[in-house]
Amino acid sequence: VYHLNGNANDSVGASDGAITGAQSGAGQLASGLDFNSNDDVVDAGSAGGVDDLFAASGTLTAWIRPRGWGEGNFGRIVDKASDTLAASGWALQVDGGQAPNHALIFEHGFSGGPGRWNGPDSSIALGVWSHVAVVYDASSPSNQPVMYVNGVAQAITVIGAPSGTRASDAPNVLGIGDQVA
């Protein structure tokens, strides 16, 4: 649990993060972090408490207020992914450029190819606070995530169907904001 209220400490003690570039800013419930460039990130490392979150059903939530769609029209919210997502990992992002766009994207790695799911067009707005969540069980490639925006389940478009077995994200670091190399 990362409140990002002046620090990047994990409230449950699983894996404290290190802040690079992000500055203190307004938050939805208290102060938060302002990720205002493509190199602002919280690196929360890799530890048992943050590894394989979606192995047998997991939930990820965040408050976001995007000012732009991110580098290349993909704004990472949080991920635990390698450079080649098909190999391992997962990512929750906002999509500003592909159809559907202005929506959430969720990706998860599998041995035969990653799954990629998008929410509906215009479900995310710039400059507006939104509570986003994804619930997913990666134990089978036939499972579909459920994505929420402000408590409302979103219609999902399958952009890429996963195949094979779930890839472990354990070698990867948990990053909030820009991708951690």
Side-chain angles (χ1 to χ4, degrees):
V1 176
Y2 297 90
H3 293 283
L4 306 179
N5 185 6
N7 62 50
N9 294 340
D10 176 4
S11 296
V12 297
S15 186
D16 288 346
I19 301 169
T20 301
Q23 302 293 315
S24 186
Q28 180 61 5
L29 303 175
S31 67
L33 287 179
D34 186 2
F35 297 88
N36 63 6
S37 84
N38 63 3
D39 61 356
D40 291 359
V41 65
V42 170
D43 178 340
S46 180
V50 296
D51 288 346
D52 296 315
L53 174 64
F54 299 105
S57 191
T59 301
L60 175 70
T61 68
W63 279 101
I64 64 170
R65 188 181 71 182
R67 287 189 308 258
W69 298 112
E71 186 176 5
N73 282 325
F74 291 102
R76 288 180 192 90
I77 300 167
V78 62
D79 73 6
K80 198 163 188 303
S82 65
D83 289 337
T84 55
L85 187 59
S88 67
W90 53 264
L92 180 62
Q93 308 173 81
V94 290
D95 180 358
Q98 296 186 359
N101 58 28
H102 304 162
L104 289 177
I105 304 170
F106 179 68
E107 298 175 287
H108 198 291
F110 280 79
S111 64
R116 180 175 180 193
W117 303 269
N118 279 41
D121 277 349
S122 303
S123 56
I124 299 293
L126 294 179
V128 174
W129 282 106
S130 296
H131 183 260
V132 298
V134 62
V135 178
Y136 185 55
D137 178 350
S139 64
S140 170
S142 62
N143 293 340
Q144 301 292 311
V146 179
M147 292 190 288
Y148 296 88
V149 175
N150 297 321
V152 178
Q154 303 295 291
I156 300 296
T157 301
V158 178
I159 304 299
S163 63
T165 58
R166 175 192 62 81
S168 174
D169 64 37
N172 307 321
V173 299
L174 177 70
I176 302 168
D178 195 16
Q179 186 174 17
V180 178

